[in-house]
Amino acid sequence: MRVHNEKVISERKKQLENMKREFNSAKAEDSEMKRMIEVESQKLRAFEKGLQNEAERLSAESAKFAGHQNHKQKIQYLKKIKLENLKLKQELAKLKAEKSLKQMH
């Protein structure tokens, strides 16, 4: 009976050690994932800032040409600026969505 109890205790200790190793491994993986998400988040924030700067530059450039005398040329230029602005906004929205997905996982 005593030998049986010692075997059970020994098995339980082994199970506990295995569970501790698995827990520590999962904890390390979680920490690494959090670190990777933070790095990606920082990259996305920097990219977003760059897009905002580009949009501001284009807006300033657009304002500069707003007084242009050739109206057909002005209209074509403004169409180009609006299209580029739309593309930048779509790209920003896509990156924000990717960021949100990465943070969920």
Side-chain angles (χ1 to χ4, degrees), residues 27-43 45 102-103 105:
K27 189 175 171 185
E29 286 178 24
D30 184 55
S31 293
E32 179 63 16
M33 289 178 90
K34 285 180 182 177
R35 186 194 67 76
M36 289 172 57
I37 287 171
E38 183 56 34
V39 167
E40 190 64 26
S41 178
Q42 289 173 357
K43 287 179 185 178
R45 281 192 293 272
K102 286 184 180 185
Q103 286 179 340
H105 297 290

Side-chain angles (χ1 to χ4, degrees), residues 78-93:
L78 290 177
K79 282 182 183 178
K80 178 184 167 193
I81 294 295
K82 285 182 179 184
L83 181 61
E84 189 172 353
N85 195 18
L86 177 63
K87 287 179 183 178
L88 288 172
K89 285 180 181 181
Q90 289 171 340
E91 188 173 350
L92 179 60

Side-chain angles (χ1 to χ4, degrees), residues 25-75:
S25 176
K27 189 175 171 185
E29 286 178 24
D30 184 55
S31 293
E32 179 63 16
M33 289 178 90
K34 285 180 182 177
R35 186 194 67 76
M36 289 172 57
I37 287 171
E38 183 56 34
V39 167
E40 190 64 26
S41 178
Q42 289 173 357
K43 287 179 185 178
L44 288 172
R45 281 192 293 272
F47 187 74
E48 179 182 14
K49 181 68 174 165
L51 289 175
Q52 288 173 343
N53 290 340
E54 181 69 8
E56 289 171 9
R57 182 190 69 76
L58 291 172
S59 178
E61 192 174 323
S62 177
K64 179 176 81 173
F65 286 102
H68 201 284
Q69 297 301 315
N70 184 339
H71 293 291
K72 286 184 182 180
Q73 199 175 27
K74 178 179 166 182
I75 290 169

